[in-house]
Tab-separated table of all heavy atoms in Angstrom:
chain	number	residue	atom	x	y	z
L	53	GLN	N	28.810	30.569	80.798
L	53	GLN	CA	28.270	31.933	80.807
L	53	GLN	C	29.117	32.871	79.950
L	53	GLN	O	28.597	33.674	79.185
L	53	GLN	CB	28.256	32.431	82.271
L	53	GLN	CG	27.799	33.848	82.445
L	53	GLN	CD	26.302	33.915	82.669
L	53	GLN	OE1	25.587	32.957	82.395
L	53	GLN	NE2	25.821	35.032	83.150
L	61	ILE	N	25.269	32.512	70.782
L	61	ILE	CA	24.528	33.656	70.224
L	61	ILE	C	25.172	34.095	68.912
L	61	ILE	O	24.482	34.383	67.922
L	61	ILE	CB	24.507	34.813	71.257
L	61	ILE	CG1	23.658	34.414	72.466
L	61	ILE	CG2	23.958	36.074	70.630
L	61	ILE	CD1	23.756	35.373	73.638
L	62	GLU	N	26.502	34.084	68.886
L	62	GLU	CA	27.189	34.466	67.648
L	62	GLU	C	26.902	33.463	66.525
L	62	GLU	O	26.754	33.839	65.365
L	62	GLU	CB	28.707	34.555	67.892
L	62	GLU	CG	29.131	35.757	68.719
L	62	GLU	CD	28.677	37.084	68.117
L	62	GLU	OE1	28.754	37.258	66.886
L	62	GLU	OE2	28.205	37.951	68.883
L	65	ARG	N	23.637	34.294	65.230
L	65	ARG	CA	23.715	35.507	64.396
L	65	ARG	C	24.293	35.171	63.025
L	65	ARG	O	23.822	35.679	62.002
L	65	ARG	CB	24.623	36.541	65.072
L	65	ARG	CG	23.995	37.216	66.234
L	65	ARG	CD	24.624	38.592	66.413
L	65	ARG	NE	24.047	39.219	67.584
L	65	ARG	CZ	24.629	39.247	68.766
L	65	ARG	NH1	25.814	38.734	68.923
L	65	ARG	NH2	24.025	39.815	69.782
L	66	LEU	N	25.295	34.311	63.037
L	66	LEU	CA	25.913	33.923	61.769
L	66	LEU	C	24.892	33.186	60.893
L	66	LEU	O	24.791	33.432	59.675
L	66	LEU	CB	27.135	33.038	62.050
L	66	LEU	CG	27.995	32.639	60.865
L	66	LEU	CD1	28.489	33.861	60.092
L	66	LEU	CD2	29.204	31.813	61.328
L	68	ARG	N	21.744	33.573	61.053
L	68	ARG	CA	20.789	34.602	60.600
L	68	ARG	C	21.373	35.374	59.400
L	68	ARG	O	20.658	35.676	58.445
L	68	ARG	CB	20.526	35.543	61.770
L	68	ARG	CG	19.630	36.715	61.473
L	68	ARG	CD	18.165	36.312	61.411
L	68	ARG	NE	17.356	37.491	61.144
L	68	ARG	CZ	16.703	38.179	62.063
L	68	ARG	NH1	16.735	37.781	63.306
L	68	ARG	NH2	16.001	39.239	61.721
L	69	ASN	N	22.662	35.651	59.441
L	69	ASN	CA	23.286	36.364	58.320
L	69	ASN	C	23.335	35.502	57.060
L	69	ASN	O	23.212	36.018	55.946
L	69	ASN	CB	24.695	36.825	58.704
L	69	ASN	CG	24.652	38.129	59.497
L	69	ASN	OD1	23.599	38.783	59.568
L	69	ASN	ND2	25.764	38.498	60.112
L	72	GLN	N	20.067	35.823	55.695
L	72	GLN	CA	19.964	37.143	55.074
L	72	GLN	C	20.687	37.145	53.727
L	72	GLN	O	20.199	37.717	52.744
L	72	GLN	CB	20.590	38.197	56.009
L	72	GLN	CG	20.296	39.638	55.600
L	72	GLN	CD	18.815	39.987	55.723
L	72	GLN	OE1	18.149	39.545	56.653
L	72	GLN	NE2	18.293	40.735	54.746
L	91	ASP	N	21.177	47.279	45.197
L	91	ASP	CA	21.070	47.268	46.666
L	91	ASP	C	21.359	45.882	47.238
L	91	ASP	O	22.120	45.714	48.187
L	91	ASP	CB	19.645	47.654	47.089
L	91	ASP	CG	19.504	49.166	47.164
L	91	ASP	OD1	20.526	49.854	46.972
L	91	ASP	OD2	18.378	49.638	47.406
L	94	PHE	N	24.871	44.836	46.877
L	94	PHE	CA	25.698	45.539	47.866
L	94	PHE	C	25.691	44.782	49.205
L	94	PHE	O	26.722	44.524	49.814
L	94	PHE	CB	25.164	46.960	48.060
L	94	PHE	CG	25.765	47.654	49.248
L	94	PHE	CD1	27.048	48.193	49.187
L	94	PHE	CD2	25.053	47.761	50.447
L	94	PHE	CE1	27.597	48.819	50.285
L	94	PHE	CE2	25.610	48.375	51.537
L	94	PHE	CZ	26.881	48.916	51.469
L	101	ALA	N	31.704	39.849	53.203
L	101	ALA	CA	32.968	40.370	53.715
L	101	ALA	C	32.962	40.533	55.234
L	101	ALA	O	33.984	40.858	55.838
L	101	ALA	CB	33.245	41.721	53.075
L	102	GLN	N	31.800	40.305	55.835
L	102	GLN	CA	31.705	40.479	57.289
L	102	GLN	C	32.737	39.607	58.003
L	102	GLN	O	32.892	38.429	57.680
L	102	GLN	CB	30.317	40.029	57.765
L	102	GLN	CG	29.322	41.134	57.801
L	102	GLN	CD	28.826	41.307	59.224
L	102	GLN	OE1	29.549	41.832	60.042
L	102	GLN	NE2	27.640	40.871	59.494
L	107	ASP	N	35.108	34.063	59.852
L	107	ASP	CA	35.647	33.297	60.982
L	107	ASP	C	35.583	31.796	60.748
L	107	ASP	O	36.463	31.052	61.149
L	107	ASP	CB	34.853	33.630	62.261
L	107	ASP	CG	35.297	34.973	62.825
L	107	ASP	OD1	36.339	35.476	62.400
L	107	ASP	OD2	34.573	35.527	63.684
Y	111	ARG	N	32.171	43.796	64.957
Y	111	ARG	CA	33.348	44.068	64.133
Y	111	ARG	C	32.894	44.745	62.846
Y	111	ARG	O	31.819	44.405	62.310
Y	111	ARG	CB	34.088	42.769	63.832
Y	111	ARG	CG	34.888	42.280	65.032
Y	111	ARG	CD	35.524	40.952	64.784
Y	111	ARG	NE	34.526	39.905	64.655
Y	111	ARG	CZ	34.800	38.656	64.298
Y	111	ARG	NH1	36.043	38.328	64.003
Y	111	ARG	NH2	33.856	37.752	64.222
Y	117	PHE	N	32.798	53.921	48.209
Y	117	PHE	CA	31.742	54.305	47.263
Y	117	PHE	C	32.320	55.335	46.316
Y	117	PHE	O	32.982	56.284	46.771
Y	117	PHE	CB	30.562	54.947	47.998
Y	117	PHE	CG	29.627	53.957	48.629
Y	117	PHE	CD1	29.791	53.576	49.951
Y	117	PHE	CD2	28.564	53.413	47.897
Y	117	PHE	CE1	28.922	52.674	50.532
Y	117	PHE	CE2	27.701	52.516	48.493
Y	117	PHE	CZ	27.876	52.138	49.811
Y	180	GLN	N	23.764	53.344	51.021
Y	180	GLN	CA	23.238	52.524	49.925
Y	180	GLN	C	21.720	52.606	49.891
Y	180	GLN	O	21.110	52.593	48.824
Y	180	GLN	CB	23.695	51.076	50.114
Y	180	GLN	CG	23.210	50.105	49.050
Y	180	GLN	CD	23.812	50.405	47.678
Y	180	GLN	OE1	24.970	50.840	47.567
Y	180	GLN	NE2	23.019	50.238	46.622
Y	192	SER	N	30.096	50.366	44.709
Y	192	SER	CA	30.623	50.099	46.055
Y	192	SER	C	31.607	48.932	46.010
Y	192	SER	O	31.417	47.992	45.240
Y	192	SER	CB	29.472	49.776	47.012
Y	192	SER	OG	28.831	48.598	46.600
Y	194	VAL	N	33.915	46.640	48.935
Y	194	VAL	CA	34.393	46.406	50.310
Y	194	VAL	C	35.910	46.431	50.276
Y	194	VAL	O	36.534	45.725	49.471
Y	194	VAL	CB	33.892	45.049	50.838
Y	194	VAL	CG1	34.518	44.735	52.197
Y	194	VAL	CG2	32.383	45.045	50.937
Y	227	LYS	N	23.523	41.381	75.246
Y	227	LYS	CA	23.689	40.414	74.146
Y	227	LYS	C	23.012	39.096	74.500
Y	227	LYS	O	22.410	38.442	73.653
Y	227	LYS	CB	25.178	40.183	73.870
Y	227	LYS	CG	25.797	41.275	73.016
Y	227	LYS	CD	27.159	40.838	72.506
Y	227	LYS	CE	27.630	41.763	71.401
Y	227	LYS	NZ	28.892	41.336	70.811
Y	228	ARG	N	23.156	38.724	75.790
Y	228	ARG	CA	22.563	37.451	76.227
Y	228	ARG	C	21.040	37.512	76.205
Y	228	ARG	O	20.383	36.554	75.792
Y	228	ARG	CB	23.025	37.113	77.646
Y	228	ARG	CG	24.274	36.282	77.718
Y	228	ARG	CD	24.409	35.649	79.095
Y	228	ARG	NE	24.514	36.638	80.143
Y	228	ARG	CZ	25.665	37.132	80.581
Y	228	ARG	NH1	26.808	36.729	80.055
Y	228	ARG	NH2	25.685	38.033	81.542
Y	232	PHE	N	20.191	43.414	72.483
Y	232	PHE	CA	21.142	43.836	71.449
Y	232	PHE	C	20.621	43.441	70.058
Y	232	PHE	O	20.631	44.249	69.116
Y	232	PHE	CB	22.496	43.172	71.734
Y	232	PHE	CG	23.615	43.618	70.842
Y	232	PHE	CD1	24.349	44.754	71.137
Y	232	PHE	CD2	23.947	42.904	69.695
Y	232	PHE	CE1	25.390	45.163	70.323
Y	232	PHE	CE2	24.981	43.311	68.880
Y	232	PHE	CZ	25.704	44.440	69.189
Y	233	ASP	N	20.117	42.210	69.957
Y	233	ASP	CA	19.623	41.746	68.658
Y	233	ASP	C	18.383	42.522	68.212
Y	233	ASP	O	18.197	42.808	67.032
Y	233	ASP	CB	19.288	40.250	68.726
Y	233	ASP	CG	20.561	39.413	68.600
Y	233	ASP	OD1	21.609	39.977	68.227
Y	233	ASP	OD2	20.499	38.205	68.900
Y	241	PRO	N	20.127	45.782	58.437
Y	241	PRO	CA	19.413	44.663	57.803
Y	241	PRO	C	20.111	43.317	57.955
Y	241	PRO	O	19.695	42.362	57.309
Y	241	PRO	CB	19.368	45.093	56.330
Y	241	PRO	CG	20.533	45.995	56.148
Y	241	PRO	CD	20.722	46.702	57.445
Y	242	PHE	N	21.137	43.229	58.678
Y	242	PHE	CA	21.764	41.927	58.963
Y	242	PHE	C	22.346	42.007	60.369
Y	242	PHE	O	22.339	43.065	61.002
Y	242	PHE	CB	22.853	41.595	57.923
Y	242	PHE	CG	23.888	42.681	57.766
Y	242	PHE	CD1	25.006	42.708	58.592
Y	242	PHE	CD2	23.746	43.678	56.795
Y	242	PHE	CE1	25.954	43.719	58.454
Y	242	PHE	CE2	24.694	44.678	56.655
Y	242	PHE	CZ	25.794	44.715	57.492
Y	243	ARG	N	22.862	40.868	60.819
Y	243	ARG	CA	23.391	40.827	62.184
Y	243	ARG	C	24.820	41.364	62.217
Y	243	ARG	O	25.673	40.892	61.468
Y	243	ARG	CB	23.398	39.385	62.712
Y	243	ARG	CG	22.026	38.878	63.084
Y	243	ARG	CD	21.609	39.460	64.413
Y	243	ARG	NE	20.287	39.026	64.798
Y	243	ARG	CZ	19.164	39.730	64.588
Y	243	ARG	NH1	19.218	40.899	63.944
Y	243	ARG	NH2	18.003	39.281	64.981
Y	245	GLN	N	28.358	41.397	63.780
Y	245	GLN	CA	29.075	40.331	64.508
Y	245	GLN	C	30.462	40.785	64.913
Y	245	GLN	O	31.090	41.511	64.169
Y	245	GLN	CB	29.187	39.090	63.631
Y	245	GLN	CG	27.884	38.324	63.569
Y	245	GLN	CD	28.118	36.926	63.054
Y	245	GLN	OE1	28.419	36.766	61.870
Y	245	GLN	NE2	27.988	35.945	63.908
Side-chain angles (χ1 to χ4, degrees):
Chain L
Q53 177 91 343
I61 292 170
E62 288 303 319
R65 285 207 182 99
L66 186 56
R68 177 77 179 261
N69 278 348
Q72 192 66 38
D91 275 356
F94 168 78
Q102 268 241 75
D107 282 346
Chain Y
R111 284 175 293 173
F117 279 93
Q180 179 66 35
S192 64
V194 173
K227 279 193 166 184
R228 269 197 299 269
F232 186 85
D233 280 347
F242 53 87
R243 285 283 179 264
Q245 283 197 290

